[in-house]
Amino acid sequence: FWPVPLDNPKLAQVAIVVRDIAAASARWAELLGQPVPNVIETAPGLECRADYRGVPTDARAKLAFLNLGGGVQLELIEPIGEDSAWAEGLAEKGERLHHIAFHTADPQAADDAIGAPRSMRGDMGERGEYAYYDGAAAGLGATIEILSNDAKR
């Protein structure tokens, strides 16, 4: 049986994990005809209540965002540290698609709908929280990220 679908999903991001975010940002900016984006570093994972495969992690990442139109971003991710879904993906498959992200108002319903193991989650301050799911295990062929501003966290 198939689980209940995501309720009114809104595509937020397509993300690629990279080894060198400065080089990748420059390449993508040129391709898309945009300025090279600023690179930000996430706070240490323990400050963000991050966990990787159910275990607290202090992993971090460098991030850059480019606008793809319609409110959708291209997110580039360079892992810092080892214990993260980002580092795992880069080590196993090299630079590649990391995830497809959707906004939702109900992260628990999304958790139920995806029907796959959660590989990583963390807080994003006032912007809410994120969670990655092993979409391959659910027959989806890609990691799914759920972004939410659930005030009940």
Side-chain angles (χ1 to χ4, degrees), residues 18-79:
V18 300
R19 288 185 176 86
D20 181 342
I21 200 158
S25 294
R27 288 192 309 267
W28 277 102
E30 181 179 11
L31 177 68
L32 298 173
Q34 296 183 20
V36 176
N38 292 329
V39 173
I40 60 171
E41 287 190 21
T42 65
L46 295 178
E47 289 180 23
C48 303
R49 296 184 333 153
D51 69 66
Y52 171 60
R53 305 224 177 265
V55 177
T57 182
D58 212 28
R60 303 175 65 197
K62 294 179 183 179
L63 308 174
F65 299 91
L66 293 116
N67 182 6
L68 295 178
V72 178
Q73 299 174 319
L74 173 64
E75 178 183 20
L76 303 173
I77 306 167
E78 179 185 328

Side-chain angles (χ1 to χ4, degrees), residues 105-131:
D106 189 345
Q108 183 58 52
D111 189 69
D112 296 341
I114 293 168
R118 187 175 72 201
S119 61
M120 190 168 168
R121 72 141 317 272
D123 291 341
M124 300 184 304
E126 292 178 6
R127 293 177 302 160
E129 65 181 74
Y130 69 91

